[in-house]
Every structure is written in C-alpha cells, then in structure tokens.
Amino acid sequence: MQEHDVQADETKGLSSIEAAERLKRYGYNEISEKEESKWHRMFRRFWGPIPWMIEAAALLSAAAQRWDDFTIIMILLLVNSGVDYYQESKALNAIRVLKQRLARKALALRDGKWVQLPSRELVPGDVIKLTIGNIIPADARLTGGGEFLSVDQAALTGESLPVQREAGEEVYANAVVKQGEMTAVVTATGKATYFGKTVALVAKAQREEHSHFQKMVLNVGNFLIALTVVMIMVIVTVGLYRHEPTLELLVFALVLMISAIPVAMPAVLTVTMAVGASALAKKEAIVSRLAAIEELAGMDVLCSDKTGTLTQNKMDISEPYVDDAESADALLLYAALACQEENEDPIEAPIFAYVKAQGLYEKLSGYTLEKFLPFDPVGKRTEAVLTVKTDKSELTVTKGAPQVVIELCDEG
C-alpha cells in the first residue's frame, strides 16, 4: 500500500530522482478515465435504429441490383459517419487541451525548494503546503508549519461543517482547506486515496442513461422507422396479393425507405453540438458530453452560489494611502513581509510585483521569519513575526481588512 512508503526529509522534501522513481512505481496522481477507443467510436456510428435502416436500404439496393442507388446510399452513410466522428474528435481534443490548461497545481518541497507542480505529479512521501482555499491534492498526514487546519470534507464524508485537523492527523484528497496553513506528507495518490476508492465504488453502480435530447431523437427515429416498416409491409402484402414483380416491390420499398429515413439527422445534430462545444471551450468551459449542451440550453432557471462580481481575473494595487510621515514603498515592503511568496497567492502577487519593480525585493532578505499566522475568514488578516538581522530586534507585521487593522491600532 502507498500509505506505508512515505519516508521523506521534511526540511528538503524528495529529490527529483527519488520522485521520478516513485512516480514510475505508483503512477500519476489521477483517477484515470475509461476512454473509448477510436474503433469503438467509429463502429458506434453504424449501430442504431437509423443506421440500421440506411444499411437495410443499401442491402435492398444491392438485392435489386440498383448499383447507382447502392453507391449513393453507402456514400451518404460513410459521409455522415465520417463527419460525426470528425466533429466529436474535435470536441474531445478541445476538452483534452482545456483540461490540461485547467489542471490543478500543488506547492511541493523538491530538492529543498518550494515549487509549483501539477497535482498529478505528486507521489507518496512528497512534502506539500496546504493553505486556505486549496483543494487538497492527495491523501496526506499533517506535519506542522501551523497550529491547525480547518477542512471541508462534505463531498467525501457528508459532514455539514468543516472539521479541525492538527499535526499528525490525516486529510483527504479533494477536501477544501477553509482556514489555517500547514505542511503535510503525501500518504496516498490516485486510486489509493479515499476519494479514489469512493469513485471506484460509484463507477461500479453507475449506469449511463440517455439525455432528454437523445431520447427525443431516438423517439423521432423510432417513430419514422416503425411507420416505414408498417407501410412497406402493407405495400409488399398488397403487391404479392396482386402478383406484382418482386423486383418492382423491392424498388418501391427502397424508395419509400430512403425518403422516410432522416439520413443526415445524426450528423447534423452532432455537428451543431460540436460547434457549440468548441465555442464553449474557447471560454474555458469543459463539455464532457455533447448532449449536455442541449440539456443546459433547455434550462429555465440556473441556481449558483457564486458570490462577488465579474472581474478581469487580474489583481492590481490601487493608489496607496499613507501618512505624510510614511511612504508607499515602506507600506508595500511591510505588506510583503506579511506574505509568503512561495504560496503564490493571487492577492499577494501584485505586492511582490510592486516591491520588485521598485527595487525593494532585496530588502526582504534582511529579515528572518520566526512565526507566520495565515489568513482566515474570521481574523481577516495575516501576521508575521520577524527578526531584523542587523540588530536582532523583533518586528511584528500584519496586513488584512482595514477595519481589523484599524481596531488593532486602536488597541495599541
């Protein structure tokens, strides 16, 4: 079991060589999806009520030795299947590329340095840092670096409220960090995680059902096929009763079948939805099933718990407000001291961008971090306790919501 092989130096993490060896041994930290083979996807285009009727029409053409009709019908069948297959392949490729772009990352300690890695490259024994807002990338055992971690495990355990975890306790993949900041050692990845085992159980019981849209298409096709079969049976019965030539009956049945079957309907529907999937992919929306596009378009009400406003997804620093005795550079330098750059917090990124642009970044090395209190929604601030290297004096820096910082000033 992966849980038993988690030896790692918590100060340096795994080396790149050891990580590569464990990656070969345990595989990627992902739950593999069962991908349909190309041959099966192609064969599926020729299987179903409507393709069967087109194929039956081709057989009737061959039986009636109408080779021109046979050739045209086969070309229609192959073109429809080819277009359908091509458009679905384009949609699947767009989904694959988008998933790669949106892949989660984790902050891991490799070769003594904190680096951002794709979550799928984590291995048992990796030392990772978990901060507020993170989705835990793998099962892990908390080791320290903070006092506690508040974790929302509702999706895994059904618990309605976040639970508090301390050093030595386990946290599970796909849980969400609500408060706190701690380091942890990965104990299990991929299918061996608690989440992976849960997915495996669900997959066994899962049944693929047709969407409302697919049911509608099948109902239309089935109705037309049933109507065609009944009419052909009536015509053939009357023809045989009148002693009509068999060849003429076959030709008549062929004409009726071709005219009644919506030959291009599957291809047209697939192309339409594939175009929609491509348009959504450009907006970074993943469409894993083409039929879901029509399902979503048929919604009357969409409920979402998203809060806030629409933005450009880009943080920037507004004009700092400082007292006459202070400067904006000093303000942003202290703000940077109350951050942890390796966390790559999008809110803190503009602060480091500012201090680098103003040539202040080197001054950060003049301080040694002794203790760091990460941001949490209750306290609404971060706090860093530092030692000034020049005179060994202690400095406490905090940043956070204005009302919280102002209240601290009033207390002082």
Side-chain angles (χ1 to χ4, degrees):
M1 292 294 291
Q2 292 183 7
E3 291 85 345
H4 297 156
D5 189 9
V6 294
Q7 295 82 10
D9 186 343
E10 294 180 14
T11 59
K12 295 183 178 179
L14 294 177
S15 66
S16 299
I17 297 174
E18 176 64 19
E21 291 177 354
R22 295 192 183 192
L23 189 60
K24 290 180 181 178
R25 192 187 317 164
Y26 299 115
Y28 286 104
N29 177 34
E30 60 187 4
I31 299 172
S32 57
E33 300 178 24
K34 187 176 180 182
E35 190 170 338
E36 189 179 11
S37 67
K38 293 181 179 181
W39 288 109
H40 188 271
R41 282 173 46 214
M42 178 59 75
F43 175 75
R44 184 160 46 84
R45 267 80 190 157
F46 299 96
W47 189 262
I50 293 177
W52 289 340
M53 293 301 288
I54 299 174
E55 290 155 11
L59 291 175
L60 283 177
S61 300
Q65 296 185 350
R66 296 177 67 93
W67 302 114
D68 292 342
D69 292 341
F70 175 81
T71 302
I72 293 172
I73 292 171
M74 290 303 298
I75 289 174
L76 281 173
L77 182 63
L78 294 173
V79 167
N80 285 340
S81 302
V83 170
D84 193 357
Y85 179 85
Y86 172 71
Q87 292 294 339
E88 187 183 62
S89 297
K90 282 180 59 179
L92 291 175
N93 289 336
I95 292 169
R96 196 174 295 112
V97 170
L98 189 54
K99 281 184 175 179
Q100 291 174 355
R101 286 181 56 193
L102 300 180
R104 296 208 310 262
K105 294 184 179 295
L107 188 61
L109 189 62
R110 290 277 179 91
D111 299 313
K113 296 180 180 179
W114 288 105
V115 293
Q116 286 281 353
L117 294 176
S119 295
R120 67 191 299 266
E121 294 181 8
L122 290 178
V123 295
D126 258 326
V127 178
I128 59 175
K129 179 176 283 189
L130 303 174
T131 61
I132 184 171
N134 285 167
I135 298 175
I136 299 174
D139 286 2
R141 184 181 68 250
L142 299 176
T143 57
E147 297 179 358
F148 74 97
L149 209 66
S150 180
V151 182
D152 183 357
Q153 302 179 150
L156 303 174
T157 63
E159 297 166 297
S160 59
L161 297 175
V163 294
Q164 186 166 310
R165 292 286 181 261
E166 299 176 352
E169 295 185 317
E170 292 281 332
V171 289
Y172 301 122
N174 279 56
V176 181
V177 179
K178 291 296 186 180
Q179 291 183 35
E181 178 179 304
M182 293 188 78
T183 56
V185 175
V186 175
T187 57
T189 58
K191 293 181 180 179
T193 62
Y194 185 87
F195 179 76
K197 294 172 183 176
T198 304
V199 170
L201 291 174
V202 173
K204 289 181 181 179
Q206 188 177 21
R207 292 183 179 179
E208 184 177 351
E209 295 185 357
H210 293 297
S211 66
H212 293 90
F213 174 70
Q214 290 170 321
K215 289 178 181 177
M216 181 272 294
V217 173
L218 287 173
N219 288 337
V220 171
N222 291 338
F223 173 76
L224 293 174
I225 290 169
L227 184 63
T228 303
V229 170
V230 170
M231 292 179 66
I232 289 175
M233 290 177 62
V234 171
I235 290 170
V236 170
T237 302
V238 173
L240 291 175
Y241 178 76
R242 294 181 176 179
H243 304 289
E244 298 284 347
T246 305
L247 182 60
E248 289 186 9
L249 291 176
L250 287 176
V251 172
F252 197 86
L254 174 63
V255 171
L256 181 59
M257 188 176 293
I258 293 174
S259 62
I261 298 173
V263 177
M265 184 171 67
V268 170
L269 295 175
T270 302
V271 170
T272 303
M273 289 186 291
V275 170
S278 298
L280 289 171
K282 293 177 181 177
K283 299 179 182 295
E284 298 191 348
I286 295 177
V287 182
S288 57
R289 292 173 62 241
L290 291 180
I293 297 175
E294 194 279 336
E295 295 291 301
L296 184 63
M299 283 186 181
D300 293 322
V301 178
L302 174 63
C303 299
S304 173
D305 63 351
K306 176 73 176 71
T307 58
T309 57
L310 296 176
T311 68
Q312 294 181 345
N313 195 28
K314 180 182 177 182
M315 296 284 184
D316 201 359
I317 295 177
S318 59
E319 187 66 28
Y321 173 79
V322 293
D323 187 82
D324 294 337
E326 297 293 341
S327 66
D329 288 354
L331 173 66
L332 272 298
L333 178 63
Y334 288 132
L337 289 171
C339 303
Q340 287 193 304
E341 188 177 11
E342 66 269 16
N343 290 353
E344 296 191 4
D345 190 314
I347 295 177
E348 297 174 349
I351 297 175
F352 287 103
Y354 179 94
V355 296
K356 288 177 181 178
Q358 299 298 320
L360 304 172
Y361 187 75
E362 291 75 13
K363 292 185 178 182
L364 298 178
S365 59
Y367 302 84
T368 302
L369 180 65
E370 303 296 339
K371 183 180 179 182
F372 185 79
L373 179 68
F375 179 86
D376 71 81
V378 178
K380 292 182 174 60
R381 67 187 181 94
T382 64
E383 181 179 297
V385 179
L386 307 123
T387 299
V388 183
K389 292 182 179 179
T390 54
D391 57 9
K392 303 301 180 183
S393 61
E394 186 178 276
L395 175 67
T396 301
V397 185
T398 187
K399 70 171 177 62
Q403 68 274 17
V404 175
V405 176
I406 291 171
E407 186 177 344
L408 289 173
C409 294
D410 292 339
E411 291 176 0

